[in-house]
Amino acid sequence: MRKTRSRAIALTAVLSASALLMTACSSSGSGGSATTAGGDGAKVTLDVNLFGTFGYKEAGLFDEYQKLHPNITINYTSVEQEGDYWPAFLTHLNAGSGVGDVQGIEVGRIAQATSELGDKFVDLKTTSAKDGISKFVDWKEKAATTSSGAVIGLGTDIGPMAICYRTDLLKEAGLPTDPTELAAKMSTWKDYLALGEQYKAKAPANSAWTDSTGGLYNAILSQSKEQYYDASGKLIYDTNPAIKNAWDLSVKAAQDGLTAKLAQFSDQWNQAFSTGSFATLACPSWMIGYIKGQAGDSGSGKWDVAALPGGEGGNWGGSYLAIPKASKHQAEAADLIAWLTASAQQQKVFQKVGNFPSNTEAIAAVATVTDPYFSDAPIGKIFGDAAKSAPVQTLGLHDGDVKTQITNGLTQVEAQGVAPATAWSDVQAAVKSQVG
């Protein structure tokens, strides 16, 4: 889910952060819940506030849950950009009002949530959701555990990485379209950029090798265990060789004219999925559904999926479902998130929008899934293999904030022609101002 995963934009039911705020505050019950819970069978409305595309609405899971539980009504809202969602949510969380009964937390925020906000969330070990905690990949729930041992979120998905590409554009440029053959020609990120130079030489008009420096940077860095913080919690982004490598390769792609200069999740970027403005892009599993939504039916059969360069898997994104203590319906909310994150439901979400399961039983169950939209690519195996070989990343307090500033710096280089050294100095100043 990404999304930063920033996760993918919701396919439907997308609201702005301010609209979400109004929705939450307009609910008739305190704590963002419209109906007061009572005894058995009492009508309860659960406010579920998320960002991007978690896939529950798209897979019909909210409707299914309401049929199974006629006393429950789900009031669902989603903010398009996680970067808008999180600050608005924090404002209400710290105020103790105006939050939903269920809130999403992106993986880049989970360290902040456990270290600074843990007392504001329900410990799921004390709820009906406790039985599901052990069913996720080990690192997923460890990351959602506070220093006192409380578990504040159930894992929704993880973001194993691949490269998604347009077969028709590569064929026109004389490059391989078979995923195995293509992957063999870009076993390293330098190979990937070299192949981009070949594409550029014979590319269709107005078509670049990849969409953006931001996407490329995130893909390269996704293969690193340590990113913005080390295991002791020290901020290391400006000394970490992995950050420098991802920055330098992304800058090279921009300066060599290999990117379409599109800011990810912008309107222009969305339109480019159907216009052929780029041939390849970094593709966490949640991007599968995003591409379908933006490219539409006319894109079916034109896309395929290949393994990520670099020789190992990466992870970009993934999220959690949490219950604020301000919720008046904590028991009902726990029942809901336990059901949404169970194996059967995670399998349905993966097959509908591509969000890869974090539930170990579901991971095994989707291993043979193929996708006709992506030329029958074995997406279950591709993303499953990527998940197995991806490093367990060290998460830090302000991962999301630092990543945003670095991608902003790359956009300066890419779209405005700012010198890389100047852009990096701007990044350092912005991080210091925001994070300290």
Side-chain angles (χ1 to χ4, degrees):
M1 268 184 114
R2 132 128 102 347
K3 274 181 270 160
T4 72
R5 191 141 158 285
S6 298
R7 193 173 179 98
I9 292 173
L11 304 178
T12 58
V14 179
L15 297 178
S16 68
S18 58
L20 172 61
L21 170 62
M22 293 174 63
T23 301
C25 291
S26 66
S27 297
S28 59
S30 61
S33 298
T35 308
T36 301
D40 292 343
K43 296 290 186 183
V44 172
T45 295
L46 295 176
D47 287 329
V48 178
N49 297 342
L50 307 176
F51 53 89
T53 305
F54 278 64
Y56 303 135
K57 179 178 176 61
E58 292 76 12
L61 295 182
F62 289 147
D63 290 341
E64 184 178 344
Y65 191 82
Q66 289 172 120
K67 288 180 181 178
L68 292 170
H69 303 83
N71 64 316
I72 299 293
T73 297
I74 296 173
N75 179 32
Y76 164 61
T77 59
S78 179
V79 173
E80 180 175 335
Q81 296 281 2
E82 194 275 345
D84 297 328
Y85 163 89
W86 185 250
F89 169 55
L90 287 185
T91 297
H92 291 282
L93 186 69
N94 288 320
S97 64
V99 295
D101 300 292
V102 175
Q103 296 276 170
I105 301 177
E106 207 267 343
V107 66
R109 311 290 190 182
I110 194 65
Q112 182 183 9
T114 54
S115 62
E116 295 184 340
L117 308 167
D119 63 340
K120 299 183 184 302
F121 292 100
V122 173
D123 180 2
L124 298 178
K125 292 193 302 185
T126 66
T127 72
S128 62
K130 64 180 183 300
D131 294 337
I133 292 172
S134 64
K135 297 179 180 178
F136 301 92
V137 292
D138 185 55
W139 61 267
K140 187 75 175 176
E141 292 313 303
K142 284 183 179 177
T145 303
T146 69
S147 58
S148 63
V151 175
I152 65 167
L154 289 189
T156 58
D157 63 317
I158 56 178
M161 296 289 295
I163 292 288
C164 291
Y165 63 96
R166 283 276 299 265
T167 55
D168 56 332
L169 298 179
L170 263 61
K171 182 178 181 180
E172 194 170 342
L175 297 182
T177 59
D178 176 79
T180 301
E181 189 178 351
L182 181 64
K185 287 187 173 296
M186 52 184 197
S187 59
T188 69
W189 285 107
K190 288 183 178 178
D191 291 342
Y192 174 78
L193 296 187
L195 205 58
E197 294 286 358
Q198 294 182 40
Y199 180 80
K200 179 182 173 183
K202 298 181 179 179
N206 303 314
S207 181
W209 176 234
T210 191
D211 63 323
S212 67
T213 53
L216 178 59
Y217 166 82
N218 280 318
I220 298 169
L221 193 62
S222 75
Q223 296 169 312
S224 298
K225 178 180 179 181
E226 284 193 338
Q227 300 183 354
Y228 306 108
Y229 290 81
D230 66 15
S232 71
K234 180 183 178 183
L235 189 63
I236 60 167
Y237 81 96
D238 54 352
T239 58
N240 185 353
I243 298 279
K244 182 177 184 343
N245 179 59
W247 170 274
D248 288 346
L249 288 171
S250 301
V251 165
K252 176 174 173 53
Q255 294 182 325
D256 289 350
L258 301 183
T259 75
K261 302 181 181 180
L262 296 168
Q264 289 198 318
F265 308 106
S266 66
D267 290 342
Q268 294 80 4
W269 187 69
N270 293 337
Q271 294 166 4
F273 282 95
S274 57
T275 61
S277 297
F278 54 83
T280 71
L281 83 161
C283 195
S285 58
W286 45 264
M287 193 71 79
I288 291 290
Y290 196 95
I291 291 172
K292 292 178 182 176
Q294 297 301 329
D297 292 343
S298 63
S300 182
K302 294 180 180 177
W303 290 85
D304 209 330
V305 187
L308 199 67
E312 59 184 344
N315 188 83
W316 177 6
S319 297
Y320 297 85
L321 296 178
I323 304 171
K325 285 185 177 176
S327 167
K328 296 296 185 181
H329 307 300
Q330 297 176 12
E332 293 85 351
D335 290 344
L336 174 61
I337 68 172
W339 186 83
L340 287 173
T341 57
S343 174
Q345 283 63 253
Q346 290 204 355
Q347 293 175 51
K348 292 177 182 178
V349 170
F350 177 64
Q351 296 197 46
K352 186 64 179 180
V353 301
N355 294 356
F356 196 77
S358 58
N359 181 299
T360 54
E361 181 180 318
I363 291 174
V366 303
T368 60
V369 170
T370 61
D371 194 325
Y373 191 98
F374 286 82
S375 308
D376 291 320
I379 59 172
K381 176 174 174 47
I382 292 171
F383 290 116
D385 288 347
K388 290 176 185 175
S389 63
V392 177
Q393 296 165 345
T394 301
L395 302 177
L397 196 57
H398 293 287
D399 279 349
D401 297 322
V402 180
K403 179 188 288 187
T404 296
Q405 296 306 330
I406 292 178
T407 53
N408 287 346
L410 287 170
T411 299
Q412 284 185 284
V413 176
E414 179 182 34
Q416 301 167 22
V418 173
T422 302
W424 183 251
S425 294
D426 290 346
V427 168
Q428 291 176 302
V431 171
K432 185 174 180 58
S433 174
Q434 190 167 12
V435 176

Short mmCIF file of all heavy atoms in Angstrom, two decimals, residues 224-252:
data_model
loop_
_atom_site.label_atom_id
_atom_site.label_comp_id
_atom_site.label_asym_id
_atom_site.label_seq_id
_atom_site.Cartn_x
_atom_site.Cartn_y
_atom_site.Cartn_z
N SER A 224 17.72 -2.03 1.00
CA SER A 224 18.68 -1.79 2.09
C SER A 224 18.04 -1.99 3.46
O SER A 224 16.92 -1.52 3.70
CB SER A 224 19.23 -0.36 2.00
OG SER A 224 19.91 -0.17 0.79
N LYS A 225 18.78 -2.64 4.34
CA LYS A 225 18.28 -2.85 5.71
C LYS A 225 18.24 -1.54 6.46
O LYS A 225 17.23 -1.18 7.06
CB LYS A 225 19.18 -3.86 6.44
CG LYS A 225 18.75 -4.10 7.87
CD LYS A 225 19.67 -5.11 8.57
CE LYS A 225 19.23 -5.33 10.02
NZ LYS A 225 20.12 -6.29 10.70
N GLU A 226 19.36 -0.83 6.48
CA GLU A 226 19.42 0.46 7.15
C GLU A 226 19.18 1.56 6.13
O GLU A 226 19.82 1.57 5.08
CB GLU A 226 20.77 0.67 7.84
CG GLU A 226 20.91 -0.11 9.14
CD GLU A 226 22.11 0.36 9.95
OE1 GLU A 226 23.02 0.95 9.35
OE2 GLU A 226 22.14 0.11 11.17
N GLN A 227 18.29 2.48 6.47
CA GLN A 227 18.00 3.57 5.55
C GLN A 227 18.23 4.92 6.23
O GLN A 227 19.32 5.47 6.14
CB GLN A 227 16.56 3.41 5.04
CG GLN A 227 16.34 2.08 4.32
CD GLN A 227 14.96 1.92 3.75
OE1 GLN A 227 14.07 2.73 3.96
NE2 GLN A 227 14.75 0.84 2.99
N TYR A 228 17.23 5.41 6.94
CA TYR A 228 17.35 6.75 7.51
C TYR A 228 17.87 6.74 8.95
O TYR A 228 18.41 7.73 9.42
CB TYR A 228 15.98 7.45 7.44
CG TYR A 228 15.44 7.43 6.04
CD1 TYR A 228 14.37 6.62 5.70
CD2 TYR A 228 16.04 8.18 5.03
CE1 TYR A 228 13.89 6.58 4.40
CE2 TYR A 228 15.58 8.14 3.73
CZ TYR A 228 14.50 7.34 3.42
OH TYR A 228 14.04 7.29 2.13
N TYR A 229 17.66 5.63 9.65
CA TYR A 229 18.11 5.49 11.04
C TYR A 229 18.89 4.19 11.18
O TYR A 229 18.63 3.22 10.44
CB TYR A 229 16.91 5.43 11.99
CG TYR A 229 16.16 6.73 12.14
CD1 TYR A 229 15.22 7.12 11.19
CD2 TYR A 229 16.37 7.57 13.25
CE1 TYR A 229 14.50 8.31 11.33
CE2 TYR A 229 15.66 8.75 13.39
CZ TYR A 229 14.73 9.12 12.43
OH TYR A 229 14.05 10.30 12.58
N ASP A 230 19.84 4.15 12.15
CA ASP A 230 20.47 2.88 12.46
C ASP A 230 19.70 2.18 13.58
O ASP A 230 18.69 2.70 14.09
CB ASP A 230 21.96 3.05 12.80
CG ASP A 230 22.19 3.83 14.09
OD1 ASP A 230 21.24 3.99 14.88
OD2 ASP A 230 23.33 4.27 14.31
N ALA A 231 20.18 1.02 13.97
CA ALA A 231 19.44 0.22 14.95
C ALA A 231 19.35 0.88 16.32
O ALA A 231 18.46 0.58 17.11
CB ALA A 231 20.11 -1.15 15.09
N SER A 232 20.27 1.82 16.59
CA SER A 232 20.23 2.52 17.89
C SER A 232 19.25 3.69 17.88
O SER A 232 19.05 4.33 18.92
CB SER A 232 21.63 3.03 18.24
OG SER A 232 22.00 4.12 17.40
N GLY A 233 18.68 3.99 16.71
CA GLY A 233 17.76 5.12 16.61
C GLY A 233 18.42 6.41 16.16
O GLY A 233 17.78 7.47 16.14
N LYS A 234 19.70 6.34 15.79
CA LYS A 234 20.43 7.53 15.34
C LYS A 234 20.08 7.83 13.88
O LYS A 234 20.06 6.94 13.04
CB LYS A 234 21.93 7.30 15.49
CG LYS A 234 22.78 8.48 15.03
CD LYS A 234 24.26 8.13 15.14
CE LYS A 234 25.14 9.29 14.64
NZ LYS A 234 26.57 8.92 14.67
N LEU A 235 19.84 9.10 13.60
CA LEU A 235 19.56 9.53 12.23
C LEU A 235 20.84 9.48 11.40
O LEU A 235 21.82 10.15 11.73
CB LEU A 235 19.00 10.96 12.25
CG LEU A 235 18.44 11.52 10.95
CD1 LEU A 235 17.23 10.72 10.48
CD2 LEU A 235 18.05 12.99 11.14
N ILE A 236 20.84 8.67 10.34
CA ILE A 236 22.08 8.45 9.58
C ILE A 236 21.91 8.72 8.09
O ILE A 236 22.79 8.36 7.30
CB ILE A 236 22.56 6.99 9.76
CG1 ILE A 236 21.49 6.01 9.26
CG2 ILE A 236 22.95 6.71 11.20
CD1 ILE A 236 21.99 4.58 9.10
N TYR A 237 20.81 9.36 7.72
CA TYR A 237 20.52 9.48 6.29
C TYR A 237 21.64 10.17 5.51
O TYR A 237 21.89 9.86 4.34
CB TYR A 237 19.20 10.23 6.08
CG TYR A 237 19.33 11.73 6.18
CD1 TYR A 237 19.49 12.51 5.04
CD2 TYR A 237 19.35 12.38 7.41
CE1 TYR A 237 19.62 13.89 5.12
CE2 TYR A 237 19.49 13.74 7.51
CZ TYR A 237 19.63 14.49 6.37
OH TYR A 237 19.78 15.84 6.45
N ASP A 238 22.33 11.13 6.16
CA ASP A 238 23.34 11.91 5.44
C ASP A 238 24.72 11.27 5.46
O ASP A 238 25.67 11.82 4.90
CB ASP A 238 23.41 13.34 5.96
CG ASP A 238 23.62 13.40 7.47
OD1 ASP A 238 23.56 12.34 8.12
OD2 ASP A 238 23.84 14.51 7.98
N THR A 239 24.84 10.10 6.10
CA THR A 239 26.12 9.37 6.08
C THR A 239 25.97 7.94 5.57
O THR A 239 26.97 7.23 5.42
CB THR A 239 26.74 9.31 7.50
OG1 THR A 239 25.81 8.68 8.39
CG2 THR A 239 27.06 10.71 8.01
N ASN A 240 24.76 7.51 5.32
CA ASN A 240 24.50 6.13 4.92
C ASN A 240 24.86 5.93 3.44
O ASN A 240 24.27 6.57 2.57
CB ASN A 240 23.01 5.81 5.15
CG ASN A 240 22.69 4.36 4.86
OD1 ASN A 240 23.54 3.60 4.36
ND2 ASN A 240 21.47 3.95 5.17
N PRO A 241 25.80 5.04 3.14
CA PRO A 241 26.18 4.81 1.73
C PRO A 241 25.01 4.35 0.85
O PRO A 241 24.99 4.64 -0.35
CB PRO A 241 27.25 3.72 1.83
CG PRO A 241 27.76 3.80 3.23
CD PRO A 241 26.61 4.24 4.07
N ALA A 242 24.05 3.66 1.45
CA ALA A 242 22.90 3.20 0.67
C ALA A 242 22.06 4.38 0.18
O ALA A 242 21.54 4.37 -0.96
CB ALA A 242 22.03 2.26 1.51
N ILE A 243 21.92 5.40 1.02
CA ILE A 243 21.19 6.61 0.60
C ILE A 243 21.96 7.31 -0.52
O ILE A 243 21.37 7.72 -1.53
CB ILE A 243 21.02 7.57 1.79
CG1 ILE A 243 20.21 6.91 2.91
CG2 ILE A 243 20.40 8.89 1.33
CD1 ILE A 243 18.74 6.91 2.74
N LYS A 244 23.27 7.44 -0.36
CA LYS A 244 24.08 8.12 -1.38
C LYS A 244 24.01 7.38 -2.71
O LYS A 244 23.87 8.01 -3.77
CB LYS A 244 25.54 8.22 -0.92
CG LYS A 244 26.45 8.96 -1.90
CD LYS A 244 27.85 9.10 -1.38
CE LYS A 244 28.78 9.92 -2.27
NZ LYS A 244 28.42 10.16 -3.63
N ASN A 245 24.06 6.05 -2.66
CA ASN A 245 23.99 5.27 -3.90
C ASN A 245 22.64 5.48 -4.59
O ASN A 245 22.58 5.70 -5.81
CB ASN A 245 24.19 3.79 -3.57
CG ASN A 245 24.10 2.91 -4.80
OD1 ASN A 245 24.86 3.08 -5.75
ND2 ASN A 245 23.16 1.97 -4.80
N ALA A 246 21.55 5.42 -3.83
CA ALA A 246 20.21 5.61 -4.42
C ALA A 246 20.05 7.02 -4.96
O ALA A 246 19.48 7.23 -6.04
CB ALA A 246 19.14 5.30 -3.37
N TRP A 247 20.57 8.00 -4.23
CA TRP A 247 20.50 9.41 -4.67
C TRP A 247 21.31 9.60 -5.97
O TRP A 247 20.82 10.18 -6.93
CB TRP A 247 21.04 10.31 -3.56
CG TRP A 247 21.25 11.75 -3.98
CD1 TRP A 247 22.35 12.27 -4.57
CD2 TRP A 247 20.33 12.84 -3.83
NE1 TRP A 247 22.19 13.62 -4.81
CE2 TRP A 247 20.96 13.99 -4.36
CE3 TRP A 247 19.06 12.95 -3.29
CZ2 TRP A 247 20.34 15.24 -4.37
CZ3 TRP A 247 18.43 14.21 -3.30
CH2 TRP A 247 19.06 15.33 -3.83
N ASP A 248 22.56 9.08 -5.97
CA ASP A 248 23.43 9.29 -7.14
C ASP A 248 22.86 8.63 -8.40
O ASP A 248 22.90 9.24 -9.49
CB ASP A 248 24.83 8.72 -6.85
CG ASP A 248 25.61 9.57 -5.85
OD1 ASP A 248 25.20 10.72 -5.59
OD2 ASP A 248 26.63 9.08 -5.34
N LEU A 249 22.35 7.42 -8.28
CA LEU A 249 21.79 6.75 -9.45
C LEU A 249 20.54 7.47 -9.95
O LEU A 249 20.31 7.56 -11.16
CB LEU A 249 21.47 5.29 -9.12
CG LEU A 249 22.68 4.36 -8.95
CD1 LEU A 249 22.24 3.00 -8.40
CD2 LEU A 249 23.41 4.17 -10.28
N SER A 250 19.75 7.97 -9.04
CA SER A 250 18.53 8.69 -9.42
C SER A 250 18.87 10.01 -10.10
O SER A 250 18.23 10.40 -11.10
CB SER A 250 17.65 8.94 -8.18
OG SER A 250 17.30 7.72 -7.57
N VAL A 251 19.87 10.69 -9.57
CA VAL A 251 20.33 11.94 -10.19
C VAL A 251 20.86 11.65 -11.61
O VAL A 251 20.57 12.41 -12.55
CB VAL A 251 21.43 12.59 -9.33
CG1 VAL A 251 22.18 13.66 -10.12
CG2 VAL A 251 20.81 13.21 -8.07
N LYS A 252 21.60 10.57 -11.75
CA LYS A 252 22.13 10.22 -13.08
C LYS A 252 20.99 9.98 -14.07
O LYS A 252 21.05 10.43 -15.22
CB LYS A 252 23.01 8.97 -12.98
CG LYS A 252 23.53 8.46 -14.32
CD LYS A 252 24.51 7.32 -14.16
CE LYS A 252 24.88 6.72 -15.52
NZ LYS A 252 25.35 7.71 -16.50
#
